[in-house]
Amino acid sequence: MLNMVLDLLLKQIFGQPFILMALIVLIGYIAMGQKMSKALTGSIKASIGILVMGMGSGALIGNFGKLIVALQTSTGITGAGLNTYPTMTAGYEVMDSVLGAGTGASWGIYTLLVAFILNLIYVALRKFTRIRAVYLTGNAMIVQAGISTFLVWKFLGTGMLPTILIASVLTSLYWGICSTMLIEPTHLITGADFTVAHQQMFVDYVAYKVAPFLGNPEDDIEKKKLPTSLSVFQDNLIATALVMFISVAVIFLVIGSQNIAWLRGPEGLNQGGLANDIIFLIWISITLTANIYVLLAGVRMFVGEIMMSFKGISEKLLPGAVAGVDCAAIFAFAPKSVVLGLLFGTLGQVIGLILLLIFKSPIFLVPGFIPLFFDNATIAIFANKFGGWKAAAIICTANGLVQIIGSMLAVKMTGLTWWQGSADYATIWVVVIAALKGLGSMLGIPVA
């Protein structure tokens, strides 16, 4: 009887992400004093969102995996994609293959909760910690907590409780310190009392500090006129499709007709009716874009609900704390910088990919729109504000290059076929991975 109860609680309820997320949202809304109907509606939406995310992620990883197999078969090169959410789910899949279905996501959600509580504690103790920002960008929080959970488990071989605790400390310190660093420059850009809380915070700060040495803030891109044709890049869905089309076209050129035929066949993507290579290329590009769209739709469903819950709790407990919000919140203050960042970030990533080929890297990367666009757009805003458009161009080109090289190192160490790809995850988090790997090796812990 006891075993049945434990199985129900630990595996069937708290071990199932779609139920666990619903319970968290339900408790949060009740704690805020919301009506039960509102709490139930929010929890159901969050539960559905988790399942929709899984559908999109599973399709994306499955379809993209076929491209990677074709690339490896034709060249011997290990392929990996750069995108945020698939990295989290890819890590969970590795954990689930060892620990059982649903384990990775459940541990990741617990890490999210503990890290958020720790962030609140740091702010409550800001007289001593000097941390003033509460990180509230839910989509980024969920990804970062999940990746931290995977990294600690993989390299330290720890069980559930120590994995969650260590991952929570790492994640919450990153949230609190880096978002607090951006309070002042964000205020200077927007005039508002919030800060940027995303996945390129460290590099945003570097841009803020370095830009004045690379250009003149009076040479502001926002004062210049841009061609209207560039406005297409401000549509996330279209821009993602374009990035996918270019990436898949490059893969087609590399793998050759024989492997394209395999991709078209029953062992590949099972699209024998698409005999024309160009039509097949377009189908793959749009299918991958659609997979990402479904994944993001699921994320938006549960992130919106859990962040309402988290935000309400933090405001009640810590009035006066600075809210850390999505980087997109500052895009309206510098729309031309957004386009500038995307263009020069793309240039930097292309240079990085060419260097991987020139130096015969055993790992080749497929760029993703989320780290390419959101990172470089945000970095460009900080760089342009404090150093003008030339500084933004230089810094974003360098960042694009670093995103490729740093991500290649991360893929090599983690063994995943996806990596987060964002600026901070190609810089300071690569150092964190190396430190965890070194610590695990020193302690004689086998890598999972």
Side-chain angles (χ1 to χ4, degrees):
M1 182 64 180
L2 178 60
N3 288 337
M4 289 179 61
V5 172
L6 290 175
D7 180 79
L8 175 64
L9 291 175
L10 299 179
K11 293 184 179 180
Q12 304 304 315
I13 296 178
F14 295 109
Q16 297 298 324
F18 76 100
I19 294 179
L20 180 59
M21 184 63 73
L23 287 174
I24 292 168
V25 171
L26 181 67
I27 292 168
Y29 273 124
I30 292 172
M32 290 167 59
Q34 296 286 347
K35 293 180 179 178
M36 182 56 69
S37 59
K38 172 69 174 175
L40 287 173
T41 300
S43 62
I44 292 170
K45 284 183 178 179
S47 182
I48 294 171
I50 285 283
L51 294 177
V52 172
M53 181 190 73
M55 293 172 187
S57 176
L60 178 63
I61 291 172
N63 291 329
F64 185 77
K66 301 296 184 182
L67 287 170
I68 297 303
V69 170
L71 185 65
Q72 291 172 336
T73 301
S74 61
T75 65
I77 294 174
T78 299
L82 299 183
N83 218 321
T84 52
Y85 303 104
T87 304
M88 174 189 70
T89 53
Y92 287 163
E93 284 190 359
V94 175
M95 294 178 70
D96 291 352
S97 67
V98 176
L99 302 171
T103 302
S106 296
W107 289 20
I109 292 170
Y110 287 126
T111 296
L112 169 68
L113 286 171
V114 176
F116 179 68
I117 292 168
L118 287 175
N119 189 182
L120 295 179
I121 292 172
Y122 301 153
V123 176
L125 299 175
R126 54 186 175 271
K127 181 178 179 181
F128 306 101
T129 64
R130 303 185 70 180
I131 292 174
R132 297 189 289 136
V134 177
Y135 197 111
L136 292 171
T137 308
N139 52 339
M141 293 171 74
I142 288 161
V143 169
Q144 292 162 7
I147 292 174
S148 297
T149 302
F150 166 73
L151 293 175
V152 172
W153 170 80
K154 178 178 177 65
F155 293 114
L156 299 186
T158 44
M160 178 179 176
L161 187 58
T163 294
I164 291 168
L165 290 176
I166 297 169
S168 297
V169 171
L170 287 173
T171 307
S172 60
L173 286 173
Y174 169 65
W175 291 346
I177 293 171
C178 290
S179 58
T180 296
M181 287 163 55
L182 292 177
I183 291 174
E184 180 182 349
T186 302
H187 178 74
L188 292 173
I189 290 169
T190 66
D193 294 321
F194 64 83
T195 186
V196 169
H198 207 250
Q199 304 179 135
Q200 72 299 105
M201 298 181 291
F202 173 74
V203 180
D204 288 339
Y205 187 77
V206 171
Y208 158 56
K209 289 295 186 181
V210 172
F213 298 100
L214 299 177
N216 183 352
E218 295 300 318
D219 200 11
D220 189 340
I221 189 67
E222 302 303 326
K223 299 175 183 177
K224 302 182 184 296
K225 188 173 182 179
L226 294 180
T228 55
S229 59
L230 293 177
S231 62
V232 68
F233 294 109
Q234 293 179 302
D235 187 313
N236 293 354
L237 192 63
I238 301 302
T240 298
L242 289 173
V243 169
M244 285 297 172
F245 180 84
I246 294 169
S247 300
V248 176
V250 171
I251 291 176
F252 269 30
L253 291 173
V254 172
I255 66 177
S257 58
Q258 184 176 347
N259 284 290
I260 292 175
W262 175 86
L263 266 177
R264 191 181 284 114
E267 293 183 3
L269 296 171
N270 197 25
Q271 294 297 318
L274 302 177
N276 183 280
D277 286 350
I278 300 298
I279 300 300
F280 187 41
L281 166 61
I282 294 172
W283 179 86
I284 293 175
S285 305
I286 292 177
T287 297
L288 292 175
T289 303
N291 295 157
I292 291 173
Y293 179 82
V294 172
L295 187 157
L296 292 177
V299 169
R300 282 191 289 269
M301 284 185 71
F302 72 80
V303 163
E305 298 303 329
I306 197 168
M307 280 308 99
M308 282 296 294
S309 174
F310 276 15
K311 187 173 185 294
I313 293 170
S314 67
E315 287 177 351
K316 283 194 173 184
L317 294 177
L318 295 168
V322 178
V325 301
D326 197 309
C327 62
I330 68 171
F331 286 3
F333 294 91
K336 294 176 183 176
S337 296
V338 170
V339 177
L340 183 76
L342 174 61
L343 293 177
F344 283 96
T346 300
L347 173 63
Q349 289 205 2
V350 169
I351 293 171
L353 293 172
I354 292 172
L355 289 176
L356 292 184
L357 292 174
I358 290 174
F359 291 100
K360 298 180 179 178
S361 167
I363 296 171
F364 188 78
L365 301 175
V366 177
F369 179 72
I370 291 175
L372 175 62
F373 174 72
F374 287 96
D375 276 28
N376 289 293
T378 308
I379 292 164
I381 291 173
F382 283 95
N384 176 70
K385 175 67 177 180
F386 301 103
W389 75 268
K390 292 179 182 177
I394 293 169
I395 291 172
C396 287
T397 302
N399 181 66
L401 174 60
V402 169
Q403 283 180 300
I404 295 297
I405 304 303
S407 296
M408 182 272 291
L409 295 173
V411 168
K412 186 175 182 180
M413 288 188 285
T414 62
L416 294 175
T417 54
W418 288 92
W419 184 243
Q420 221 263 14
S422 295
D424 287 358
Y425 280 77
T427 52
I428 57 175
W429 278 95
V430 173
V431 176
V432 171
I433 294 170
L436 289 172
K437 184 177 181 182
L439 178 60
S441 177
M442 186 174 66
L443 297 175
I445 299 170
V447 176

